[in-house]
Amino acid sequence: MLSSDRVSKSFGTTLAVDELSIQVNKGEIFGLVGPDGAGKTTFLRMVCNLLDADAGTITIHDSPASRFPRERLGYMPQKFSLYGDLTISENINFFASLHSLDKKITRQRSEQMLQITGLTGFEDRLADNLSGGMKQKLALTSALMTRPELMVLDEPTYGVDPESRKEFWQILYRLNESGITILISTPYMDEAELCHRVALINSGKLVACESPAGLKKLFAQRVVEIRADIFDPYFFDSCPGVIDSSYYSRRFHLLVNNSEQLFTILKKYSLDNGFPDIKVNYISPSMEDVFAFLAEPRLPRQADDI
Ligand SMILES: Nc1ncnc2c1ncn2[C@@H]1O[C@H](COP(=O)(O)OP(=O)(O)O)[C@@H](O)[C@H]1O
Ligand SMILES: [Mg+2]
């Protein structure tokens, strides 16, 4: 449905998006996943024709994205603005009027969309008096008024409490089931798990594009968790057989290509340190692991607890 072919965009000397090629299929929930500054917003703005690419092309249904009818593309920007002194209904009506929807259609659709987003019953509440989660829902409701077939959401759950994030995702699933293709960006790896497929991006570049299960499969039998009183986060960095390591406070996740060498080192450490308690297990990688393994060394090391 949507295809980008080697799309690049620079701001001065900053290469925000670097030859990014992805394909989003009709009916998918497709995640653009990466840390702050990865280029997610810039890319989504180009998809929504709000920004021109320096190079490359973006097509929707095989035509340039710029020709895709605006009302069939819903966009929920990272920083959207609502009118705080207008109620939920008034905000929606205002948005609908910007798109020249007549009153009858506006009424019908807003009833329907408020139902889906769970805001029915709150129509007369001022936007200023809404919680963060409800504001996101209102922004989504407004963006849905044109009945888009592709919904682009830029970090919609950033800074929203966990319960509201969960609810928001339930809404996204409902919308997806009703036939809307979803392209969503997120810095959260737990949200990456909820997408059908994800493009991991870092420093503007595509690192991998797969289903979450497919990404994890790449690292099956290759992730070792070590629990030990080792306080040096870089302890395993130069260890032969270890390709990569992440440290989560006395817990290491290691990507290994030769566990024998690793076990030899551990044995020696054990001997040298009077047999401290060390637990070693093969584990299924988390999305955090996958991202850390694929994206390092560009990512800063995580030294805090998860
Ligand atoms: N309008 C802009 N002017 C200058 N630099 C920008 C602009 N927009 C984004 N950037 C830079 O481009 C890079 C990617 O930013 P962005 O697309 O916002 O990433 P993300 O949404 O993944 O956090 C960052 O280094 C950011 O500072
Ligand atoms: Mg962003």
Side-chain angles (χ1 to χ4, degrees), residues 6-284:
R6 284 165 292 158
V7 166
S8 298
K9 179 75 192 176
S10 296
F11 298 103
T13 54
T14 308
L15 185 53
V17 174
D18 189 0
E19 301 207 342
L20 194 62
S21 299
I22 59 164
Q23 270 83 42
V24 179
N25 301 319
K26 190 170 163 41
E28 265 187 329
I29 299 182
F30 188 95
L32 206 56
V33 180
D36 278 351
K40 303 182 294 296
T41 297
T42 304
F43 181 75
L44 295 181
R45 283 192 183 143
M46 291 190 283
V47 166
C48 294
N49 200 28
L50 300 167
L51 200 61
D52 290 330
D54 294 338
T57 52
I58 301 178
T59 56
I60 303 179
H61 290 315
D62 299 325
S63 296
S66 55
R67 281 208 226 125
F68 191 63
R70 193 63 194 86
E71 70 279 4
R72 284 164 65 196
L73 180 81
Y75 176 49
M76 184 168 155
Q78 192 171 348
K79 288 196 187 99
F80 53 83
S81 44
L82 298 164
Y83 293 95
D85 53 348
L86 297 187
T87 64
I88 286 186
S89 274
E90 288 165 345
N91 267 287
I92 293 171
N93 293 345
F94 180 70
F95 187 88
S97 71
L98 290 180
H99 288 272
S100 313
L101 297 180
D102 73 36
K103 285 207 168 113
K104 191 168 162 223
I105 287 190
T106 300
R107 199 171 49 246
Q108 280 171 351
R109 284 193 195 166
S110 67
E111 248 174 53
Q112 201 184 357
M113 295 308 162
L114 286 165
Q115 192 81 39
I116 292 179
T117 55
L119 289 178
T120 306
F122 299 99
E123 291 87 342
D124 297 327
R125 195 175 283 192
L126 287 178
D128 260 350
N129 297 339
L130 299 175
S131 65
M134 283 174 94
K135 280 187 178 143
Q136 308 292 97
K137 288 182 191 171
L138 173 53
L140 178 61
T141 311
S142 301
L144 287 167
M145 285 300 286
T146 58
R147 289 233 171 109
E149 62 178 286
L150 172 65
M151 186 69 214
V152 175
L153 302 112
D154 193 6
E155 295 192 30
T157 58
Y158 186 83
V160 171
D161 68 90
E163 199 49 42
S164 304
R165 278 172 60 193
K166 214 193 290 170
E167 257 182 66
F168 197 86
W169 270 90
Q170 283 164 350
I171 296 167
L172 292 185
Y173 270 91
R174 246 177 270 152
L175 292 173
N176 182 244
E177 274 160 26
S178 78
I180 300 177
T181 304
I182 291 174
L183 171 59
I184 181 170
S185 75
T186 179
Y188 301 121
M189 294 299 153
D190 58 338
E191 291 191 342
E193 304 251 12
L194 301 173
C195 300
H196 298 143
R197 281 195 310 136
V198 294
L200 296 182
I201 60 167
N202 199 27
S203 306
K205 278 196 172 62
L206 183 69
V207 178
C209 186
E210 259 285 5
S211 66
L215 282 172
K216 289 179 180 182
K217 232 190 211 160
L218 293 173
F219 297 96
Q221 290 294 309
R222 290 177 62 197
V223 183
V224 178
E225 183 186 68
I226 296 178
R227 287 175 185 268
D229 280 341
I230 298 173
F231 299 98
D232 174 9
Y234 308 111
F235 183 84
F236 291 102
D237 275 17
S238 52
C239 176
V242 173
I243 301 170
D244 218 333
S245 89
S246 314
Y247 178 67
Y248 307 101
S249 166
R250 291 189 220 179
R251 195 154 53 87
F252 291 87
H253 285 186
L254 308 180
L255 176 66
V256 296
N257 60 5
N258 186 333
S259 33
E260 247 170 61
Q261 282 172 307
L262 168 67
F263 293 148
T264 308
I265 300 252
L266 276 173
K267 225 181 261 170
K268 181 175 180 318
Y269 180 84
S270 228
L271 277 170
D272 292 350
N273 291 277
F275 300 102
D277 189 20
I278 299 178
K279 292 194 176 69
V280 182
N281 285 307
Y282 280 107
I283 56 162
S284 157

